Amino acid sequence: MKVVGIITDFGGERDIYTGVMKAVMTKICPNISFIDITHNIMPADIKTGAFLLKSSYRYFPKGTVFLAVVDPGVGSSRDPIVIKTRHYYFVGPDNGILSLAAVDDGVCDIFVVQNKRYFMKRVSSTFHGRDIFAPVAAYICKGVNISSLGKRKSYFEQVYIEPVIIEKSVLEGRIIYKDFFGNLITNITMEQLREFTEGKDFYGVIKRKKFVGLREFYTQNEGDKPFFIEGSFGYLEVSLNKESAAEYFNIDKDEYPKVVVKKVNTRR
Amino acid sequence: MKVVGIITDFGGERDIYTGVMKAVMTKICPNISFIDITHNIMPADIKTGAFLLKSSYRYFPKGTVFLAVVDPGVGSSRDPIVIKTRHYYFVGPDNGILSLAAVDDGVCDIFVVQNKRYFMKRVSSTFHGRDIFAPVAAYICKGVNISSLGKRKSYFEQVYIEPVIIEKSVLEGRIIYKDFFGNLITNITMEQLREFTEGKDFYGVIKRKKFVGLREFYTQNEGDKPFFIEGSFGYLEVSLNKESAAEYFNIDKDEYPKVVVKKVNTRR
Amino acid sequence: MKVVGIITDFGGERDIYTGVMKAVMTKICPNISFIDITHNIMPADIKTGAFLLKSSYRYFPKGTVFLAVVDPGVGSSRDPIVIKTRHYYFVGPDNGILSLAAVDDGVCDIFVVQNKRYFMKRVSSTFHGRDIFAPVAAYICKGVNISSLGKRKSYFEQVYIEPVIIEKSVLEGRIIYKDFFGNLITNITMEQLREFTEGKDFYGVIKRKKFVGLREFYTQNEGDKPFFIEGSFGYLEVSLNKESAAEYFNIDKDEYPKVVVKKVNTRR
């Protein structure tokens, strides 16, 4: 049984696109177990897609093939690529979607996918997920050596999601994902927060609203104020107890506002 | 092939949480077949979750492991538990989510899950679904004896969803679930209705709107009025032909109004 | 491993209905691999369901059993049927939902499903998906000969989705599906368009708004105007680059407006 982890901006099983990709893969390699990571990335939001792939890949069995189709440039000049990392394979467009996970696991080899033998017979210009990426993922599951897929490449597009220290006491990050519960996931890791705050008091600001406190778990906070919490994937989150932080800060579904962490000068 | 049935309040494949739990389980036990029951429970709505698990568990093969993650108290003091029933295993928090199904099938044994050997190495305080419940479910699939998971327990939290007879001619129930078609599923079983009405005429009231009639199937009712119907899981439902009863009664997505059944005194 | 492709109007994994059908099938035949085609058909929209099944079936492995449950007449007189085509089996109600795919692949045999041995013991009048269609699909996977399911039938309900030429220079089609990206999929095939336009210039009209141009891929169009594009399933689509054509034309979710193609008389 081979595992394929799938991440797209198709909006889940709403449309037939995900099902058709699974059908194509099953036709090529019958014993694949599919795990949908998410299809809920806003259309063409490569950064968030890359972030979510990075957050989830390590929980999969070694040898898993990841199929990432967030591909606003489909049909134009961006390359389809395969990245072999220390423990996994990543298949998708060369637009950065694969980069955070691949770099995190350690890149071993990169190939441009060119060999039409491993494509659908007729390649459309609007759905490479079905016509190129899915069949290539299935052939890797079937044991095809990735060096036969095309020519080696030495680099790939990368996205950057790092927060920045804009002055000594101000760390500026961004909300990078809002989950179904309304939790706001930032791009600030717990390590970055600790290193920046050096044990000093700090508060957060989102859309001019201040809030304080770093909680351990959701119900620890009894009131109705937002608070910081260590998210389950190692990033700082902003939450409310039993309520939606996204609603509290009035954040639109395609809005990714800044989150500012300010150290309090306690010397004064 | 082992079967794991999954029920959560994660909102489907929107977020990466369900996919990550499946990845964790597949890593521990490769030959699991996952069946998503639903992820569409309103966040923290334990009663409805327990009701839907009870409505669906019996259709699964014997030996199925059910993983239920509706867990508003994650990180606080509620226990993670495993219940072995006559035909199944149920894994989840001890907050009542498992209780209706487990009692219905017949409880054989209950264990608090404590043995960290069967957890993820690092247990977060915000995502026990990934760090405790999913790995435990996978180890049960792998054949681990549940007595090795922790210490035996003699009771567990239960939820109650029974309707009440508030006066001789008035049965008061509640809408417990609204499906995608807008059908309103009540907590009144067909047996309870028959026993209460004793063959006499009756009518229903929801939010001060009266309606009459018990239909056998949806298209039997030609008009545009709501009617009672025997739901497919044995509970009384309120429906409209080809329209949404939830819209007709103007019911919000997090509103579970009372439904009153009144017997008509035909003697007078 | 047998494959079952599932298409319903249940709204995805929102409700427990899809999960319960998979449970029923797994109980009867343990080694089924389920592929969800879509559950996002508007309730009771048989035409769109038939169109989407036709668009996707050919990507599945030979021998796949398709389970189609778009069944507004459940419990009334419409027959449950099985159609054997050249490469596949189709199971569902005889209301047209199966017809476009079955005719496209080539019908070999049709049976009314009557043999209660292959149903759930108790058949409800509201959920034949669980009680009749799912078990029948699973028994076909298990190898049951379809001639033992019921009596042969020589015809079945068909739906028609063909565009019409209403005058020499006007081809009138319809939007038959709006995908998650807001692309508008028409019922006009590329062949029909080419045959009609005969290489002449043409423009489109939707809800009194004119637009021109046939693009090869989405990002080819730099502006913010809608354009025609060859969709990935062989049908003409109307799209905007990086925006939703459905929003541009202000199309409601249950609205399927006409799309008119007009040839330009270049002789004059």
Side-chain angles (χ1 to χ4, degrees):
Chain A
M1 206 76 176
K2 301 292 297 185
V3 179
V4 171
I6 308 176
I7 187 165
T8 77
D9 60 357
F10 294 173
E13 310 285 0
R14 284 172 190 252
D15 296 321
I16 62 176
Y17 306 135
T18 303
V20 165
M21 292 202 310
K22 290 176 183 173
V24 164
M25 289 187 271
T26 301
K27 207 168 184 174
I28 292 167
C29 180
N31 57 338
I32 296 176
S33 178
F34 300 107
I35 296 182
D36 297 289
I37 299 172
T38 184
H39 303 283
N40 190 37
I41 296 161
M42 292 296 292
D45 184 352
I46 292 166
K47 271 196 185 182
T48 300
F51 173 79
L52 293 176
L53 184 57
K54 184 197 167 194
S55 296
S56 50
Y57 83 89
R58 78 191 67 203
Y59 297 98
F60 283 74
K62 287 179 189 177
T64 293
V65 177
F66 291 97
L67 173 61
V69 189
V70 180
D71 193 16
V74 60
S76 67
S77 63
R78 62 96 195 94
D79 281 332
I81 56 170
V82 172
I83 306 176
K84 187 181 176 341
T85 64
R86 281 173 63 217
H87 308 99
Y88 303 103
Y89 296 91
F90 293 87
V91 179
D94 185 14
N95 61 13
I97 180 76
L98 308 173
S99 63
L100 296 178
V103 168
D104 194 60
D105 194 47
V107 173
C108 298
D109 224 339
I110 315 162
F111 287 88
V112 185
V113 175
Q114 296 167 310
N115 190 340
K116 287 181 180 165
R117 201 181 136 186
Y118 301 113
F119 295 177
M120 293 287 279
K121 259 171 212 154
R122 187 167 172 279
V123 173
S124 72
S125 51
T126 51
F127 193 9
H128 287 185
R130 175 193 65 193
D131 301 334
I132 297 178
F133 299 121
V136 163
Y139 280 113
I140 295 172
C141 287
K142 225 183 163 179
V144 164
N145 194 305
I146 61 166
S147 65
S148 66
L149 295 171
K151 71 163 192 283
R152 189 168 270 113
K153 207 176 151 92
S154 56
Y155 59 91
F156 55 88
E157 284 292 316
Q158 301 206 27
V159 297
Y160 296 94
I161 60 159
E162 298 296 308
V164 288
I165 296 173
I166 56 173
E167 50 181 276
K168 213 178 147 192
S169 64
V170 179
L171 177 68
E172 187 179 290
R174 196 165 277 281
I175 303 303
I176 194 153
Y177 189 66
K178 300 172 284 286
D179 78 9
F180 177 64
F181 300 96
N183 298 312
L184 305 175
I185 291 99
T186 76
N187 62 342
I188 304 170
T189 66
M190 295 310 293
E191 286 69 32
Q192 287 165 338
L193 180 75
R194 276 182 216 114
E195 205 173 287
F196 170 73
T197 56
E198 299 172 300
K200 283 181 187 152
D201 283 352
F202 62 94
Y203 61 91
V205 185
I206 295 176
K207 295 174 82 172
R208 298 187 181 190
K209 284 187 180 166
K210 283 174 65 169
F211 56 97
V212 291
L214 179 63
R215 307 294 175 192
E216 265 179 71
F217 49 89
Y218 297 120
T219 54
Q220 193 182 7
N221 208 56
E222 286 306 319
D224 54 357
K225 299 282 180 214
F227 52 87
F228 284 120
I229 189 166
E230 177 174 350
S232 49
F233 294 91
Y235 287 85
L236 193 64
E237 296 184 13
V238 181
S239 297
L240 256 85
N241 182 21
K242 293 183 186 172
E243 277 173 63
S244 163
E247 280 179 25
Y248 178 92
F249 290 105
N250 202 11
I251 296 176
D252 281 341
K253 68 176 178 159
D254 55 356
E255 185 187 4
Y256 299 96
K258 283 179 193 165
V259 54
V260 169
V261 178
K262 285 197 183 169
K263 269 189 287 197
V264 179
N265 194 337
T266 50
R267 286 270 181 80
R268 181 163 44 117
Chain B
M1 208 75 177
K2 300 292 296 183
V3 178
V4 171
I6 308 177
I7 186 164
T8 77
D9 59 357
F10 295 172
E13 311 285 359
R14 286 171 189 252
D15 297 320
I16 62 176
Y17 305 136
T18 303
V20 165
M21 292 202 311
K22 289 177 183 172
V24 164
M25 289 187 270
T26 301
K27 207 169 184 174
I28 292 166
C29 180
N31 57 338
I32 297 176
S33 178
F34 299 107
I35 297 181
D36 296 290
I37 299 172
T38 184
H39 302 284
N40 191 37
I41 296 160
M42 293 296 293
D45 184 352
I46 292 165
K47 272 196 184 182
T48 300
F51 173 79
L52 292 176
L53 184 56
K54 185 198 167 192
S55 296
S56 50
Y57 83 89
R58 79 191 66 204
Y59 296 98
F60 284 74
K62 286 178 189 178
T64 293
V65 178
F66 291 97
L67 173 61
V69 190
V70 179
D71 194 14
V74 60
S76 67
S77 63
R78 62 97 196 88
D79 281 331
I81 57 169
V82 173
I83 306 175
K84 187 179 174 343
T85 62
R86 282 174 63 214
H87 308 99
Y88 303 104
Y89 296 91
F90 292 88
V91 179
D94 186 12
N95 61 13
I97 180 76
L98 309 174
S99 63
L100 296 178
V103 168
D104 194 60
D105 194 46
V107 174
C108 299
D109 225 339
I110 315 161
F111 286 89
V112 184
V113 176
Q114 296 166 311
N115 190 340
K116 289 182 178 162
R117 200 180 138 188
Y118 301 113
F119 296 177
M120 294 287 279
K121 261 174 210 150
R122 189 170 170 277
V123 173
S124 71
S125 51
T126 51
F127 192 9
H128 287 186
R130 174 192 65 193
D131 302 335
I132 297 178
F133 300 121
V136 162
Y139 280 114
I140 295 172
C141 287
K142 226 183 164 179
V144 164
N145 195 306
I146 62 167
S147 65
S148 67
L149 295 170
K151 71 163 191 283
R152 187 169 271 115
K153 207 176 152 90
S154 55
Y155 59 92
F156 55 88
E157 284 291 317
Q158 300 206 27
V159 298
Y160 296 94
I161 60 159
E162 299 296 308
V164 287
I165 296 173
I166 57 174
E167 49 180 277
K168 213 178 146 194
S169 64
V170 179
L171 177 69
E172 187 180 291
R174 196 165 277 281
I175 302 304
I176 195 151
Y177 188 68
K178 302 172 283 287
D179 78 9
F180 176 65
F181 300 95
N183 298 311
L184 305 174
I185 292 99
T186 76
N187 62 342
I188 303 168
T189 65
M190 296 310 293
E191 285 71 30
Q192 286 166 339
L193 181 75
R194 275 181 217 114
E195 204 172 291
F196 170 72
T197 56
E198 298 172 302
K200 283 180 185 151
D201 283 353
F202 62 93
Y203 62 91
V205 185
I206 294 176
K207 295 174 83 173
R208 298 187 181 191
K209 284 186 182 168
K210 283 175 65 170
F211 57 97
V212 290
L214 178 64
R215 305 295 176 190
E216 266 180 70
F217 48 89
Y218 297 121
T219 54
Q220 193 181 6
N221 207 56
E222 286 306 321
D224 53 358
K225 298 282 180 214
F227 51 88
F228 284 120
I229 189 166
E230 176 173 352
S232 49
F233 295 91
Y235 287 86
L236 191 64
E237 297 185 13
V238 182
S239 297
L240 256 85
N241 182 22
K242 292 184 186 173
E243 277 174 64
S244 164
E247 280 178 25
Y248 178 92
F249 290 104
N250 203 12
I251 296 177
D252 282 341
K253 67 175 178 160
D254 54 357
E255 185 187 4
Y256 300 96
K258 283 179 195 163
V259 54
V260 170
V261 179
K262 284 197 185 170
K263 270 189 286 197
V264 178
N265 194 336
T266 49
R267 287 263 184 83
R268 191 158 34 124
Chain C
M1 208 75 176
K2 301 292 297 185
V3 178
V4 171
I6 307 176
I7 187 165
T8 77
D9 59 357
F10 295 172
E13 311 285 359
R14 285 173 189 251
D15 296 320
I16 61 176
Y17 306 135
T18 303
V20 165
M21 292 202 310
K22 290 176 182 173
V24 163
M25 289 187 271
T26 301
K27 207 169 184 175
I28 292 167
C29 181
N31 58 338
I32 296 176
S33 178
F34 299 107
I35 296 182
D36 297 290
I37 300 172
T38 183
H39 303 283
N40 191 38
I41 296 161
M42 292 297 291
D45 184 352
I46 292 165
K47 271 196 185 182
T48 300
F51 173 79
L52 293 176
L53 184 57
K54 185 198 167 192
S55 295
S56 49
Y57 83 89
R58 79 191 67 203
Y59 297 98
F60 283 74
K62 286 179 189 176
T64 292
V65 178
F66 292 96
L67 173 60
V69 190
V70 180
D71 194 14
V74 60
S76 67
S77 64
R78 62 96 196 89
D79 280 331
I81 56 169
V82 172
I83 306 176
K84 187 178 175 345
T85 64
R86 283 174 62 215
H87 308 97
Y88 302 103
Y89 296 91
F90 293 87
V91 179
D94 185 13
N95 60 13
I97 180 75
L98 309 174
S99 63
L100 296 178
V103 168
D104 194 60
D105 194 46
V107 174
C108 299
D109 225 339
I110 315 161
F111 286 89
V112 186
V113 176
Q114 295 166 310
N115 190 340
K116 288 181 179 163
R117 200 180 136 186
Y118 301 114
F119 296 176
M120 294 286 280
K121 260 173 213 154
R122 187 168 172 277
V123 173
S124 71
S125 51
T126 51
F127 193 8
H128 287 185
R130 175 193 64 192
D131 301 334
I132 297 178
F133 300 122
V136 163
Y139 280 114
I140 295 172
C141 287
K142 226 183 162 179
V144 164
N145 195 305
I146 61 166
S147 65
S148 66
L149 295 170
K151 70 165 192 281
R152 188 168 270 115
K153 209 176 149 89
S154 56
Y155 59 92
F156 55 88
E157 283 293 315
Q158 301 206 27
V159 298
Y160 296 93
I161 59 160
E162 299 296 308
V164 287
I165 296 172
I166 56 173
E167 49 181 277
K168 214 178 147 191
S169 64
V170 179
L171 177 68
E172 188 180 290
R174 197 166 276 280
I175 303 303
I176 195 151
Y177 189 68
K178 301 171 284 286
D179 78 9
F180 177 65
F181 300 96
N183 297 312
L184 306 174
I185 292 98
T186 75
N187 62 342
I188 303 169
T189 65
M190 294 310 292
E191 286 69 32
Q192 285 165 338
L193 180 76
R194 275 181 217 115
E195 205 172 290
F196 170 72
T197 56
E198 298 172 300
K200 284 181 185 149
D201 283 353
F202 61 94
Y203 62 91
V205 185
I206 294 176
K207 294 175 83 173
R208 297 187 182 191
K209 284 186 180 168
K210 284 176 63 169
F211 56 97
V212 290
L214 178 63
R215 306 295 175 190
E216 266 180 72
F217 48 90
Y218 297 121
T219 55
Q220 193 182 8
N221 206 58
E222 286 307 320
D224 54 358
K225 298 280 181 217
F227 51 86
F228 283 121
I229 188 166
E230 176 173 350
S232 49
F233 294 90
Y235 286 85
L236 191 64
E237 296 185 13
V238 181
S239 297
L240 256 85
N241 181 22
K242 292 183 187 174
E243 277 173 64
S244 163
E247 280 179 25
Y248 178 91
F249 289 104
N250 203 12
I251 297 177
D252 282 341
K253 66 176 178 159
D254 54 356
E255 185 187 3
Y256 299 97
K258 283 179 194 165
V259 52
V260 170
V261 179
K262 284 197 184 170
K263 270 189 287 197
V264 179
N265 194 336
T266 49
R267 288 267 184 79
R268 191 157 36 126

